[in-house]
Amino acid sequence: MPPRTRKNVALLIESSRSYGRSLLRGIAQYSRTKGNWSLLHEEMTLDAGVPHWLAGSKADGVIARVDDHIIDPLRELQIPIVDVRCNRNYPSIPRMETDDRVVSQLVFEHLWDRGFRRFAFCGYRGANYSETRLNCFREMIAAENCPLSVYETVAEPDAALTSIERSGVSDGEPLAKWLTGLQAPTGVFVCNDIRGQQLLNACRKLGISVPDDLGVIGVDDDDAICPLCDPPLSSVRPNAEHIGYRAAETLADLMNGKAPNKDTEYVPPTGVAQRLSTQVIAVEDREVAQACRFIRENVANHIDVRDVAKLTNLSRRQLERRFRLVLNRTPHEEITAAQVARVKQLLIETDLSLEQLAPLAGYDYKERLSAVFKRETGETPGQYRRRTNLPSSH
């Protein structure tokens, strides 16, 4: 039998964002294991037009971040299309998208579990994903009869998404006014990590303490943006690799003559990557909140309860009583919890040995670190590192 001809598949997906790169990885995984495709792709941004080479590429199918500015040129090719942007509903084009209701549910539960009972949302008016997440979040807040404050950057009508998101940099004064009007502690849902970085920059300029005054969580778990934020941004992890993989499976079906699915396929996110921007228990007692912030920021400095008491106007006994009343634990237990949280962060984000890691978490010896970590978590640091660094699968 003659060898099967390889399919040419064009990928009009940005490599400038973590979400787009994850989509590409999922598609590549399908191609390697099932499709044996020739993948056609060039580096591009989210709102880029159709590349000049596509018309002459003899592509058999395309997976794209489809929007109004590219839909007509794509349809002229008369080849199967799968949409992984879902900004519009184009008939006969299957759609794969992150389930924003589950995203909003994860955000709400994450903030609620940390004690927040006042909430805020910061997004972009005119960005479909932002408005969908706001509507879902608003329903969840209303069901608990909690207050919600909303701020949305307003862009020009029909502006490209990247322009809408960039406009968030230039609305400093109204954003600052909104932020200073929020009552601490408030849990803030930012529509994506780009918006989160803009908001955290504003908080830093205004002297607003994150996460003690505002706990902030975004969406996309962007591996470039989240660690650059100050403090590092907690974020919902979408399962974009699986979306890319499913998009490839769907395109294979279309190229084999199967009728397209008319409904959008929603893929739930995988969970929340917690970082310092929500690493807090929200409390109304501002003196206890200040003490918790001091503990968290000085976790590597071998502090003890006496150091914490000196920060406040309370005696050690009064401080112990307030901590038990508000947090149901002692200041010493809060110090230990902060040290363990720091160890977890370093185990996930670095390849440091325990000997290198110990002083960064306030321990003189790695043996002491290991003993406390095992007592508090039920597993050794090595077991925790291996468990949290498992590769993703489809």
Side-chain angles (χ1 to χ4, degrees):
M1 293 180 61
R4 188 180 64 174
T5 304
R6 296 180 71 187
K7 298 287 188 182
N8 294 319
V9 174
L11 307 178
L12 307 190
I13 297 172
E14 80 282 359
S15 51
S16 57
R17 300 180 181 224
S18 178
Y19 190 91
R21 292 192 296 273
S22 293
L23 290 171
L24 292 170
R25 282 194 293 270
I27 295 166
Q29 173 73 4
Y30 178 85
S31 178
R32 286 195 303 270
T33 58
K34 301 281 186 67
N36 191 30
W37 293 341
S38 177
L39 298 175
L40 312 175
H41 178 262
E42 68 175 26
E43 186 173 353
M44 61 194 308
T45 58
L46 179 61
D47 290 315
V50 173
H52 68 276
W53 50 260
L54 183 58
S57 66
K58 297 183 180 179
D60 299 290
V62 59
I63 302 173
R65 302 275 263 163
V66 182
D67 211 342
D68 287 347
H69 68 292
I70 66 170
I71 183 61
D72 289 338
L74 290 182
R75 280 178 167 155
E76 289 174 3
L77 297 173
Q78 297 184 338
I79 58 176
I81 304 167
V82 175
D83 178 16
V84 287
R85 182 168 184 174
C86 305
N87 200 33
R88 302 280 191 278
N89 182 3
Y90 301 106
S92 76
I93 297 180
R95 301 176 299 279
M96 310 285 157
E97 173 68 303
T98 294
D99 192 330
D100 283 325
R101 179 163 292 279
V102 180
V103 166
S104 302
Q105 185 69 43
L106 286 174
V107 169
F108 174 73
E109 291 173 354
H110 183 77
L111 294 173
W112 184 271
D113 290 346
R114 276 139 197 82
F116 291 101
R117 298 298 181 265
R118 282 185 294 272
F119 300 91
F121 181 90
C122 185
Y124 305 106
R125 189 173 303 166
N128 181 60
Y129 68 87
S130 178
E131 295 180 356
T132 301
R133 290 166 187 172
L134 169 58
N135 291 335
C136 295
F137 193 56
R138 181 179 275 129
E139 290 177 16
M140 295 164 193
I141 302 302
E144 297 295 337
N145 199 29
C146 291
L148 173 66
S149 179
V150 176
Y151 178 85
E152 294 180 285
T153 296
V154 180
E156 294 294 325
D158 300 321
L161 180 58
T162 49
S163 297
I164 294 174
E165 292 174 339
R166 276 197 300 269
S167 67
V169 177
S170 58
D171 65 345
E173 187 173 335
L175 177 60
K177 183 178 180 181
W178 178 71
L179 286 170
T180 54
L182 296 177
Q183 183 180 349
T186 292
V188 183
F189 179 12
V190 287
C191 64
N192 68 357
D193 296 337
I194 294 172
R195 177 87 273 194
Q197 186 176 42
Q198 293 166 354
L199 183 139
L200 290 175
N201 287 343
C203 286
R204 189 171 63 251
K205 291 179 182 178
L206 296 167
I208 296 173
S209 176
V210 177
D212 304 276
D213 295 337
L214 303 180
V216 183
I217 178 171
V219 185
D220 286 341
D221 194 28
D222 192 293
D223 55 3
I225 294 175
C226 291
L228 286 175
C229 292
D230 185 15
L233 179 64
S234 296
S235 187
V236 176
R237 294 188 299 263
N239 200 350
E241 281 196 37
H242 184 64
I243 293 173
Y245 191 91
R246 282 291 301 126
E249 284 186 318
T250 301
L251 182 65
D253 288 341
L254 294 178
M255 291 189 297
N256 289 325
K258 185 176 179 180
N261 185 354
K262 295 180 180 180
D263 297 323
T264 302
E265 180 176 330
Y266 292 103
V267 176
T270 61
V272 172
Q274 179 177 315
R275 299 183 179 87
L276 291 179
S277 69
T278 58
Q279 191 173 299
V280 69
I281 297 297
V283 295
E284 300 290 339
D285 188 320
R286 305 318 295 157
E287 204 150 20
V288 171
Q290 181 187 22
C292 290
R293 179 184 181 186
F294 173 80
I295 290 170
R296 189 177 61 253
E297 292 179 349
N298 291 275
V299 70
N301 296 331
H302 298 82
I303 58 173
D304 57 24
V305 178
R306 289 171 297 180
D307 298 313
V308 180
K310 289 177 185 177
L311 177 74
T312 70
N313 295 319
L314 305 173
S315 68
R316 179 166 178 164
R317 181 172 295 180
Q318 288 173 321
L319 182 68
E320 298 265 1
R321 188 181 304 119
R322 293 271 281 275
F323 261 72
R324 285 191 180 278
L325 179 65
V326 175
L327 299 176
N328 197 32
R329 60 174 174 261
T330 67
H332 176 74
E333 289 169 337
E334 181 67 19
I335 292 171
T336 300
Q339 289 173 322
V340 170
R342 176 66 169 153
V343 172
K344 287 182 176 179
Q345 178 193 0
L346 293 169
L347 287 171
I348 293 172
E349 297 180 359
T350 76
D351 294 322
L352 295 175
S353 67
L354 287 187
E355 193 168 23
Q356 295 170 313
L357 187 152
L360 301 177
Y363 293 96
D364 290 322
Y365 305 103
K366 65 178 182 180
E367 292 80 9
R368 177 60 179 162
L369 179 156
S370 295
V372 172
F373 193 90
K374 179 68 180 293
R375 185 190 70 208
E376 296 296 318
T377 69
E379 57 186 344
T380 67
Q383 289 169 334
Y384 179 83
R385 175 173 267 169
R386 288 189 293 273
R387 179 174 62 80
T388 55
N389 284 278
L390 291 175
S392 61
S393 61
H394 296 290

